[in-house]
Structures are given as C-alpha cells and as structure tokens.
Amino acid sequence: MRINNQQILRFILSGLIASIINFISYRSLYLLFNNILFASISGYCIGILISFIFGKLWVFKNSNGQPLVKSFSLFCLIYFLGGIEMSLVILFINQLIDNYKIAWLFGALIGSINNYLGSKYLSFKK
C-alpha cells in the first residue's frame, strides 16, 4: 500500500472545502426556511455531492469507466458507515476520558481514515 502524500493533502483540502460549502448551505437554508432539520440534511447532502465531485475529478482523478451511479452509491455508503464509525468512536472515547472535544477529534480522525481508504479502494479504484 503506497501512500501518496499529494493525494492525502488533496483529500484533506477537498474535505475542508466541502465542509465550508456544507456549512454555508446549512446556514443559508436555515435562514430562508427556519427549519433546522431540512437545513442540516440539505447542507450535508450538498457537502457529500461536493466531496464526490472533488474526489472523482481532483483527489483520485478517477477515469476507470466505473458507472457513475455505482461509484456514487459506494461513496455514499462509505461516508454513511464512516459517520456511524465516527459516532461510535466519539461515544467510546468520551466514556473513557469524559472530554467531548478530544473524543470528537479521535472520531473525526478514524472517520476520515475510513472515508479516504474507502474512496481510494472502492469508489474511485483504478
């Protein structure tokens, strides 16, 4: 397993950009509709779409001919599982040390590793 530092850096940068767009969408939709659930789900979906586009075109430069629907479905499944994994790690670490901030950092790290590896070897495999 060869580690590509440029690819990892692009993954982190695209994740930050997608998160910023997620937040801007969330905030804008909340201000427009005053519905936090709608704004949260919509913002998250927009962020996932942005992450997928960055992943396909810039991070992993995927042109393997895998059908777009299959690639996107795998991507969504990976991120869904990563979210569950992150939540479980947060709960577990917080039980051990009773510090939700540090627990979140560990959860985010584990979830990000899951998302990177899943994207690289499943969604955008060459």
Side-chain angles (χ1 to χ4, degrees):
M1 181 166 78
R2 185 174 154 261
I3 297 177
N4 183 334
N5 290 336
Q6 185 178 17
Q7 191 176 65
I8 292 171
L9 184 61
R10 286 181 178 187
F11 180 80
I12 291 168
L13 185 58
S14 68
L16 290 172
I17 293 168
S19 294
I20 290 167
I21 292 171
N22 174 343
F23 180 75
I24 291 169
S25 301
Y26 161 76
R27 177 90 169 120
S28 301
L29 291 168
Y30 181 74
L31 290 174
L32 281 172
F33 298 105
N34 200 30
N35 184 320
I36 198 163
L37 184 60
F38 173 74
S40 178
I41 292 170
S42 298
Y44 184 75
C45 289
I46 291 167
I48 288 287
L49 185 59
I50 297 299
S51 290
F52 178 77
I53 291 167
F54 270 112
K56 184 160 184 61
L57 300 178
W58 187 54
V59 177
F60 301 105
K61 297 181 182 175
N62 180 257
S63 60
N64 67 355
Q66 183 175 5
L68 187 63
V69 172
K70 181 180 179 185
S71 184
F72 186 66
S73 297
L74 284 170
F75 184 84
C76 289
L77 178 63
I78 289 161
Y79 273 68
F80 175 74
L81 294 174
I84 291 172
E85 182 180 45
M86 178 180 172
S87 298
L88 292 174
V89 169
I90 289 170
L91 290 172
F92 178 73
I93 298 293
N94 194 51
Q95 290 283 330
L96 289 177
I97 63 172
D98 193 28
N99 186 320
Y100 71 94
K101 293 175 186 173
I102 292 174
W104 184 89
L105 287 173
F106 274 100
L109 177 66
I110 296 299
S112 296
I113 291 169
N114 172 84
N115 294 345
Y116 175 77
L117 294 174
S119 294
K120 181 176 180 84
Y121 295 109
L122 295 174
S123 291
F124 304 117
K125 68 180 178 180
K126 292 191 177 199

